Amino acid sequence: MANRTVKDAQSIHGTNPQYLVEKIIRTRIYDSRYWKEECFALSAELLVDKAMALRCIGGVYGGNIKPTPFLCLVLKMLQIQPEKDIIIEFIKQDEFKYVRGLGAFYLRLVYGSLDCYKYLEPLLNDYRKLRLMDRSGQYQLAHMDEFIDSLLRDERSCDIILPRVQKRWVHEANNELEGRVSLLDDDLDDLESESDEEELLPPPRPRNDPVEPMRTAPRDDRHGRGHSPSRRSPQRDMRNDREREKRHRSRSRSRERDRGMERDRGMDRIERDRGMERDRGIERERGMDRDRMDRERGMERMERDRGMERMDRDRGMERMERDRGMERMERDRGMERERAMERDRGMERERGMERERKRHRSRSREKRHRSRSRSPGHHLHHHRDRGRGGEKERDHRHGERAERDHGKERNRDHRERDRDRGDRKEKHHRSGRSKRDNMMGMSREDLEIAEANALRARLGMPPLRP
């Protein structure tokens, strides 16, 4: 907001007044410390105090293009656009020379050629010294008339391109301006009159030159009278003096005309040389601008190429991460498949062992039954008991029942033992499989922590927390 032009400002030369200063220099001024501290919220009244405190004129200086306070105040005047009367008062005052220079520079930037010739040409009679800061930051000695002459003739002053102005002779031809009369014309006239008088005087006669005898005027015998210089009439002397004065005036006028023509030719030659130098400077600046544009395009191309390389690198990294994720998923699926197959094999093995145990139990039961049915003592004892009586038969039945109960208990013990052995095998198989599954699913750090916990459990110490 502090860098914007005031709302009621008028456009100068068809554009924003601040745009009369180049963009790079304008940006440097906005970033300078003097602009932020001294030029903030300045008005036309407060600007006078800042202008009175100036101690030099100039544009930018240093390798990092620092603006001078003079240039900062010029941009501030373009921003607030003070009244024309204030600028004229800046120019007309004689006490502060840098305030006059500031007003003259602003007038040259903003107003037309007629106002420039009208208000700036009288300042050519000001010969006071000025401090001028060059590009290296050193002070140079200049004069006010030189500064004003550069404003009227040059295309660039204080590193700012000046708007074009109309030639003075165009305004003179249109009767808008009178012919400029310099203060040196009187001195030149005095010098020319002195030189003419020296030409009219006869050369001094040398001392050794003999004096010629005076010639006597011949007498006119016919009329009886002669002509002598003492008898000349005063009217004839006045006429001769008048003619001599006319010749002197005509000679001085022709000489002045010739000198004016020579002066005009010299000025035309100077203007032509300055125009050629100006054209060379413009061509040089165009070449520099072209080189700068080429460098900027090259930098943009390099930045674009770097951006493309960075995008390709990022895409490659994303592709690698995606491939690694796919490989990790495939490996996890393979491990899950192997675990499922191992689980199925363990279940088939357990079923086969259970079938074998059942088959073994049925075979042992059949063998026991066959051996019991084939034993001879059993049949003899049975027939003997039958023959002896009821008491023996009861004893035999009681013993047979006791033996059958004893066989049942023995078979029950065998079954319990087989069942315990099968349970222990199954638990061992399951614990080994669970440990193997856990070891396969655990990382290296988890395995180390598990081993350390197992060792601490044997020693009776509390486990480590993963």
Side-chain angles (χ1 to χ4, degrees):
M1 296 294 291
N3 299 332
R4 291 184 180 179
T5 311
V6 293
K7 295 181 179 180
D8 56 348
Q10 298 178 359
S11 62
I12 305 301
H13 303 295
T15 183
N16 192 337
Q18 293 194 78
Y19 291 170
L20 296 176
V21 182
E22 296 179 2
K23 181 178 175 59
I24 297 176
I25 299 177
R26 191 168 66 248
T27 306
R28 294 292 184 181
I29 292 174
Y30 291 156
D31 296 337
S32 65
R33 185 175 181 179
Y34 185 85
W35 175 267
K36 294 177 181 178
E37 294 182 357
E38 304 294 336
C39 298
F40 180 76
L42 276 184
S43 61
E45 293 81 6
L46 299 176
L47 185 67
V48 178
D49 299 332
K50 301 296 181 182
M52 291 168 61
L54 288 177
R55 291 297 175 265
C56 68
I57 62 174
V60 295
Y61 65 94
N64 54 355
I65 312 180
K66 294 181 181 179
T68 58
F70 178 82
L71 201 60
C72 294
L73 292 181
V74 169
L75 184 61
K76 192 64 182 180
M77 292 176 70
L78 292 173
Q79 181 184 3
I80 64 177
Q81 202 174 32
E83 297 293 335
K84 186 177 181 180
D85 298 336
I86 299 176
I87 306 303
I88 293 174
E89 289 297 327
F90 277 14
I91 295 172
K92 287 184 177 181
Q93 61 88 27
D94 297 332
E95 186 176 358
F96 300 98
K97 52 187 177 181
Y98 294 107
V99 176
R100 173 176 282 185
L102 182 65
F105 193 84
Y106 179 78
L107 183 72
R108 175 64 178 85
L109 282 177
V110 174
Y111 295 100
S113 59
L114 193 60
D115 292 331
C116 292
Y117 287 117
K118 181 179 179 181
Y119 294 107
L120 296 185
E121 279 186 348
L123 302 182
L124 294 172
N125 300 324
D126 189 355
Y127 306 117
R128 287 181 293 182
K129 296 179 181 179
L130 297 174
R131 292 191 194 95
L132 177 64
M133 183 175 288
D134 56 5
R135 292 299 296 269
S136 61
Q138 302 294 328
Y139 288 114
Q140 301 292 335
L141 183 62
H143 296 81
M144 181 64 74
D145 57 339
E146 296 176 353
F147 179 63
I148 299 300
D149 186 71
S150 66
L151 290 179
L152 292 175
R153 296 179 182 275
D154 297 341
E155 286 191 353
R156 179 183 287 269
S157 180
C158 297
D159 297 315
I160 294 179
I161 298 176
L162 302 175
R164 294 184 179 275
V165 294
Q166 190 66 264
K167 297 296 182 182
R168 197 182 196 287
W169 61 268
V170 176
H171 295 293
E172 292 179 0
N174 294 332
N175 295 324
E176 295 176 351
L177 288 175
E178 296 180 357
R180 181 173 178 271
V181 179
S182 176
L183 295 178
L184 301 176
D185 289 343
D186 298 335
D187 298 336
L188 292 175
D189 293 338
D190 295 339
L191 292 174
E192 289 175 0
S193 62
E194 290 179 0
S195 62
D196 294 337
E197 289 177 0
E198 290 178 357
E199 291 177 358
L200 291 176
L201 291 176
R205 182 176 297 173
R207 296 179 181 180
N208 297 329
D209 190 9
V211 180
E212 294 182 358
M214 295 181 61
R215 294 180 182 179
T216 58
R219 292 180 179 271
D220 192 357
D221 297 336
R222 183 180 301 174
H223 298 283
R225 60 187 179 186
H227 299 279
S228 63
S230 61
R231 294 182 178 180
R232 290 179 182 175
S233 63
Q235 296 178 358
R236 183 176 180 181
D237 293 337
M238 292 176 64
R239 193 184 306 113
N240 293 334
D241 294 338
R242 199 178 294 114
E243 290 177 357
R244 192 182 302 110
E245 187 177 358
K246 288 181 179 180
R247 286 195 303 270
H248 174 66
R249 288 179 180 176
S250 63
R251 193 182 301 114
S252 62
R253 288 176 181 174
S254 61
R255 196 175 290 116
E256 288 178 359
R257 193 182 304 110
D258 296 337
R259 288 176 181 173
M261 292 176 65
E262 289 294 333
R263 194 183 301 113
D264 294 339
R265 289 171 187 167
M267 294 299 293
D268 293 338
R269 192 180 303 109
I270 293 172
E271 289 291 335
R272 185 168 61 253
D273 295 339
R274 287 180 178 174
M276 293 175 65
E277 289 293 333
R278 193 180 304 118
D279 295 338
R280 293 195 194 102
I282 292 172
E283 290 295 331
R284 194 180 304 112
E285 290 178 359
R286 288 177 180 173
M288 292 173 65
D289 294 338
R290 198 177 299 112
D291 295 338
R292 192 182 302 112
M293 291 175 64
D294 294 337
R295 283 197 301 273
E296 291 176 357
R297 290 172 184 169
M299 293 296 292
E300 291 178 357
R301 195 178 300 110
M302 289 175 63
E303 291 293 334
R304 188 167 56 251
D305 296 339
R306 289 175 184 172
M308 294 296 293
E309 291 177 359
R310 196 178 299 110
M311 290 176 62
D312 294 338
R313 194 183 307 113
D314 295 339
R315 290 173 183 171
M317 294 294 292
E318 291 178 358
R319 195 179 299 110
M320 290 175 63
E321 291 293 334
R322 189 167 57 252
D323 295 340
R324 289 176 183 173
M326 294 297 293
E327 291 177 359
R328 195 179 297 109
M329 290 175 63
E330 290 292 335
R331 187 165 58 251
D332 295 340
R333 289 174 183 172
M335 293 174 67
E336 290 292 335
R337 199 179 299 112
E338 291 178 359
R339 290 172 186 170
M341 292 175 65
E342 188 69 24
R343 196 180 302 113
D344 295 339
R345 292 194 196 101
M347 291 176 67
E348 289 293 334
R349 195 180 300 112
E350 290 176 0
R351 290 171 186 168
M353 292 175 66
E354 187 68 28
R355 282 196 299 270
E356 289 292 333
R357 282 196 297 271
K358 288 181 180 181
R359 194 178 298 113
H360 179 69
R361 289 172 188 168
S362 62
R363 287 177 182 175
S364 62
R365 196 180 298 112
E366 289 176 358
K367 286 180 181 180
R368 241 184 275 114
H369 182 69
R370 288 174 186 173
S371 62
R372 192 181 302 115
S373 61
R374 290 177 182 178
S375 59
H378 177 73
H379 292 287
L380 291 175
H381 185 72
H382 180 69
H383 290 294
R384 195 176 297 149
D385 288 339
R386 272 186 184 180
R388 288 182 180 178
E391 187 178 354
K392 292 182 178 180
E393 187 176 356
R394 280 194 303 272
D395 295 337
H396 177 71
R397 288 176 180 173
H398 181 72
E400 188 178 12
R401 190 181 298 109
E403 186 177 356
R404 189 165 53 251
D405 294 337
H406 182 68
K408 288 181 179 180
E409 290 179 0
R410 189 168 54 251
N411 292 333
R412 192 182 298 109
D413 294 337
H414 285 296
R415 284 196 299 272
E416 292 291 336
R417 194 180 301 111
D418 294 337
R419 191 180 299 109
D420 294 338
R421 190 182 297 116
D423 292 337
R424 284 197 298 272
K425 288 183 179 180
E426 185 176 0
K427 287 181 180 179
H428 179 70
H429 180 69
R430 289 179 180 176
S431 63
R433 185 175 57 197
S434 62
K435 287 182 180 179
R436 186 167 56 253
D437 294 341
N438 293 330
M439 291 174 66
M440 291 178 67
M442 294 166 62
S443 63
R444 185 174 179 180
E445 296 179 358
D446 297 337
L447 289 175
E448 292 178 357
I449 294 173
E451 292 177 359
N453 289 334
L455 182 60
R456 292 173 71 89
R458 293 193 197 100
L459 298 176
M461 298 173 65
L464 296 175
R465 293 183 179 178

